Amino acid sequence: MDLTILAPIGAVLALLFAIFQAKKVMSEDEGTDLMKSLSQKIRTGADAYLKRQYKSVAIVFVVLVIIFAILAAFGQVNTFVPVAFVTGGVFSALSGYCGMKIATAANARTANAAHHSLNKGLKVAFSAGSVMGFTVVGLGLLDTSIWFYILKMVYGDNAQAIASALVTFGMGASTMALFARVGGGIFTKAADVGADLVGKVEAGIPEDDPRNPAVIADNVGDNVGDVAGMGADLYESYAGARLSSMALGVSAGLGFQGMMIPMALCALGIFASIIGSFFVKTEEGADQKKLLGSLRKGTYISSVLVIIAAFALIKVSGLSIGLFFAIISGLLAGVLIGYFTEYYTSDSYKPTQHLAETSETGSATLIIGGLGLGMKSTAIPAVIVGVAVLISYFVSGGAESFNMGLYGISLAAVGMLSTLGITLATDAYGPVADNAGGIAEMAGLGEEVRNRTDALDSLGNTTAATGKGFAIGSAALTALALVASYIDQVKLIAPDYNFDLSVMNPPVLIGLLIGAMLPFVFAALTMESVGRAAQSIVVEVRRQFKSIPGLMEGTAEPDYRSCVDLCTKSALHEMVLPAVLAIVVPVIVGLIMGVVGVTGMLAGATVSGFVLAVMMSNSGGAWDNAKKYIEAGHHGGKGSDNHKAAVVGDTVGDPFKDTSGPAINILIKLLSMVSIVFAAVVANFSLIK
């Protein structure tokens, strides 16, 4: 039975649901004139940044399209790659842009909804997050569906040709995602670090104080980094996992059935996510655990529905029931990684509470403690991913057929991402709640409203950290599937190629070392970029505090636009080198050390990148929530020396968790995607065969 028709149906349904949620958000009142004005400033800044970013990225895309067109003319890449590269990039950018537009429209509406009740504030913010989540899955599945049916018309019943072409189509989404993540991450953290260092530490004014010139840039950054950037990131994971699984299904000898399962599973995940989203609600006065439980209820119900649907799907397809257990292993791995990320980063648990205690002896011990916490937190996710790979490989028949085992691993990645619609909704909810808190502070809303927005914001920090853990876990499984797809692609292009993947084979060993090094160099480049951009913001904020009469007294308005412009220029300039590095290095390594050298590089980058990304994300999340734990009245509260130490820790953690860490998971997938696209070039022209 051909169930691929479920994919376009699911895609359209997701987009219709996103429109429904967007209309629901837009029907809410924005509040006072001041709230509308603040929201408009954030919206204008985010629009201006994304338009300039897309213009910059368009130049890179034009260059790459020309290169792909030349390669296609000489038969080195599939004829459709230049066009598919553009559609992947455009759909990825569009999903981030749509999410950002609704997030910037929802911030004041969420703050105003919190006037009425905590539950109403939660629902408005979550509905805005849902627009992001369902736009990503809708556009992602629509892109794959369109190309699947186009290729089916061209290649007919040749499943191998269709799968081989499709797996090369993910590079556009990966390239766009890296630019969006790196550029947005540099923007948001430059503004955040600059605002905190001068505002909180030097001037002693509250977070989101309207006197701080960087406060609008900080709120803009939440949207271009954590909404548009995260959306493009997970769009790319969603596409990569599905495309690699479709290709590996054909290689396992399952033909169109092997392609049908991941497409249908993604569609069923959309149906489940829509149902689960209706269960997200809370009660007045709910604490963090109850609020978190409200969001979890939706994701858990969606996961249970996907399990039931996946069982029915495998049964109807007539394939081995082991594939069902492979899907479940990925789904459970995603849930577990999210849970343990929350354990290490939420101030409801001992690790972050203990980290807050280290502030008693200053910022140095707090930073040491945060680094230690992040390093320690890598153990459980590594074990979870390892167990998921083992289970999915063997239950799908890996002992009898290596290719079936690889297909099982790829299905685990698809299973983990099957409920992405609601998982991403809970993540994108965070920046909306954060912006709502900022607007509540700047607009001088009552203490009761501010308490509600603080509760929603604090929950957003936890969901954002959990979402990053989920994104990193899915990146690891997706990257493993993509490495398998790379080897598979080379075997199709050059069946006689000598695959000596022994660690003692020099090209493999050198590739491993280069691959293991890449995430560290990449993280260093992005961290330094944040540092340089933040320095310009610090200088500008200090200048305004000194030169604008009445600013500190609240009788004059700061020049918000100058900080937004500085962040925009810095982010667009600084994002180029890290992104180009990810595209160029696989080609250079391949041309010098051949296919086995590239395979070693991909393996090294996947392993070290996964661990480094978990460490950076969890250290940053724990520092952030340790600061919020102190602000809630523990260990001296706001304004104490402990609080100042925690602000320094949070400032160090900002680029960890919001720039470098999240961008690494795109790096490890983009390296694989570039390698797959240039597989024929490397196989035919490398120095070492």
Side-chain angles (χ1 to χ4, degrees):
M1 184 183 293
D2 183 9
L3 295 177
T4 51
I5 191 63
L6 285 174
I9 292 171
V12 171
L13 188 64
L15 294 173
L16 289 174
F17 186 69
I19 293 168
F20 166 74
Q21 292 286 62
K23 285 185 174 178
K24 193 160 76 171
V25 171
M26 297 305 289
S27 68
E28 296 289 336
D29 185 12
E30 273 195 283
T32 65
D33 288 341
L34 178 56
M35 291 167 72
K36 289 176 185 175
S37 171
L38 291 167
S39 182
Q40 182 59 46
K41 283 175 179 160
I42 294 168
R43 198 152 45 241
T44 302
D47 276 344
Y49 170 75
L50 281 189
K51 283 173 184 173
R52 286 168 68 174
Q53 183 191 55
Y54 292 157
K55 283 179 183 176
S56 301
V57 175
I59 296 168
V60 177
F61 265 68
V62 167
V63 171
L64 287 171
V65 166
I66 292 169
I67 292 170
F68 291 143
I70 294 168
L71 291 174
F74 287 95
Q76 297 301 309
V77 299
N78 186 281
T79 312
F80 295 103
V81 163
V83 183
F85 176 75
V86 173
T87 63
V90 169
F91 275 42
S92 175
L94 185 60
S95 62
Y97 185 74
C98 290
M100 182 278 295
K101 288 294 284 184
I102 198 67
T104 53
N107 47 23
R109 289 174 167 86
T110 301
N112 191 58
H115 254 306
H116 302 284
S117 70
L118 185 65
N119 184 47
K120 192 166 184 186
L122 174 70
K123 285 201 162 188
V124 173
F126 179 74
S127 293
S130 297
V131 176
M132 171 86 267
F134 287 96
T135 300
V136 165
V137 295
L139 290 176
L141 201 50
L142 184 65
D143 190 32
T144 301
S145 300
I146 290 169
W147 277 112
F148 175 77
Y149 286 110
I150 289 173
L151 293 173
K152 206 163 186 295
M153 283 190 288
V154 174
Y155 294 114
D157 293 331
N158 189 342
Q160 185 69 73
I162 295 171
S164 178
L166 274 173
V167 79
T168 64
F169 287 2
M171 187 178 161
S174 296
T175 305
M176 186 64 236
L178 193 64
F179 277 109
R181 247 312 182 192
V182 173
I186 292 169
F187 185 113
T188 184
K189 290 306 109 183
D192 202 356
V193 170
D196 282 357
L197 280 180
V198 186
K200 285 185 181 179
V201 178
E202 294 181 12
I205 59 177
E207 186 172 3
D208 296 318
D209 192 297
R211 293 171 291 178
N212 193 327
V215 75
I216 293 293
D218 186 9
N219 282 279
V220 169
D222 289 336
N223 292 289
V224 299
D226 294 339
V227 178
M230 175 60 91
D233 175 357
L234 283 167
Y235 178 98
E236 180 238 10
S237 276
Y238 193 61
R242 186 171 55 253
L243 294 173
S244 61
S245 185
M246 291 167 75
L248 291 170
V250 174
S251 296
L254 301 178
F256 281 108
Q257 264 195 320
M259 301 174 78
M260 175 196 76
I261 298 297
M263 288 178 75
L265 184 60
C266 287
L268 294 170
I270 288 171
F271 303 144
S273 296
I274 290 173
I275 294 169
S277 67
F278 288 106
F279 288 88
V280 176
K281 54 188 173 184
T282 191
E283 59 192 32
E284 194 57 44
D287 60 15
Q288 282 302 299
K289 284 196 174 179
K290 283 186 179 176
L291 282 170
L292 195 56
S294 301
L295 292 181
R296 271 197 188 148
K297 189 176 182 182
T299 55
Y300 287 171
I301 286 172
S302 300
S303 298
V304 170
L305 291 173
V306 165
I307 289 171
I308 296 167
F311 180 78
L313 175 64
I314 298 300
K315 272 292 185 185
V316 168
S317 69
L319 296 174
S320 165
I321 197 67
L323 295 176
F324 165 70
F325 293 109
I327 293 167
I328 301 309
S329 70
L331 191 61
L332 290 178
V335 171
L336 287 172
I337 288 173
Y339 173 78
F340 283 106
T341 301
E342 179 205 330
Y343 172 74
Y344 277 106
T345 58
S346 171
D347 62 16
S348 299
Y349 299 100
K350 284 187 177 178
T352 296
Q353 291 175 2
H354 177 68
L355 179 62
E357 282 179 32
T358 62
S359 65
E360 301 280 354
T361 47
S363 54
T365 49
L366 184 90
I367 290 169
I368 291 168
L371 288 171
L373 181 151
M375 291 175 184
K376 191 163 56 177
S377 73
T378 61
I380 294 176
V383 170
I384 290 170
V385 169
V387 170
V389 168
L390 271 178
I391 291 173
S392 57
Y393 180 82
F394 284 107
V395 297
S396 55
E400 294 80 30
S401 167
F402 180 68
N403 285 338
M404 278 300 293
L406 294 180
Y407 183 51
I409 293 171
S410 70
L411 280 182
V414 177
M416 185 183 281
L417 288 160
S418 59
T419 57
L420 181 61
I422 192 165
T423 306
L424 185 50
T426 62
D427 192 329
Y429 149 91
V432 176
D434 191 358
N435 265 208
I439 287 174
E441 176 72 34
M442 288 185 277
L445 300 185
E447 189 177 343
E448 186 182 18
V449 178
R450 186 59 178 150
N451 287 339
R452 286 171 182 164
T453 57
D454 278 348
L456 294 174
D457 182 17
S458 185
L459 173 65
N461 282 329
T462 303
T463 59
T466 305
K468 288 183 179 75
F470 176 83
I472 294 164
S474 67
L477 276 179
T478 301
L480 287 171
L482 287 170
V483 173
S485 294
Y486 172 66
I487 295 171
D488 199 49
Q489 191 79 348
V490 174
K491 285 179 178 176
L492 286 172
I493 295 164
D496 300 326
Y497 203 96
N498 179 28
F499 270 97
D500 178 9
L501 293 176
S502 162
V503 177
M504 299 316 296
N505 184 7
V508 177
L509 183 59
I510 294 166
L512 279 168
L513 290 170
I514 292 171
M517 165 272 292
L518 275 175
F520 287 89
V521 172
F522 183 82
L525 290 172
T526 51
M527 291 281 286
E528 287 173 352
S529 295
V530 170
R532 283 191 293 269
Q535 282 178 324
S536 66
I537 300 300
V538 167
V539 170
E540 174 61 17
V541 174
R542 283 175 180 164
R543 182 194 70 76
Q544 291 196 34
F545 278 157
K546 288 177 183 175
S547 64
I548 298 179
L551 179 57
M552 291 305 292
E553 291 75 27
T555 56
E557 185 176 279
D559 179 7
Y560 297 123
R561 183 185 291 273
S562 64
C563 287
V564 173
D565 285 343
L566 273 174
C567 285
T568 300
K569 288 172 186 172
S570 298
L572 295 178
H573 173 71
E574 298 284 357
M575 73 179 182
V576 176
L577 180 58
V580 170
L581 182 78
I583 296 169
V584 170
V585 169
V587 180
I588 294 173
V589 169
L591 290 175
I592 295 172
M593 291 188 294
V595 169
V596 292
V598 172
T599 308
M601 180 203 70
L602 296 179
T606 300
V607 172
S608 77
F610 170 61
V611 175
L612 183 62
V614 171
M615 187 278 285
M616 297 186 86
S617 180
N618 288 352
S619 288
W623 276 319
D624 190 354
N625 281 329
K627 177 199 70 176
K628 284 199 161 37
Y629 186 67
I630 292 170
E631 288 175 346
H634 304 90
H635 305 293
K638 282 186 180 180
S640 64
D641 287 341
N642 292 14
H643 183 232
K644 288 180 180 176
V647 170
V648 173
D650 179 36
T651 304
V652 173
D654 275 338
F656 266 53
K657 67 180 173 65
D658 291 326
T659 308
S660 302
I664 289 170
N665 64 49
I666 304 175
L667 171 73
I668 62 178
K669 290 172 291 182
L670 180 57
L671 291 172
S672 298
M673 281 295 183
V674 173
S675 300
I676 288 169
V677 171
F678 286 92
V681 175
V682 170
N684 294 328
F685 300 107
S686 60
L687 294 177
I688 299 175
K689 298 292 184 183

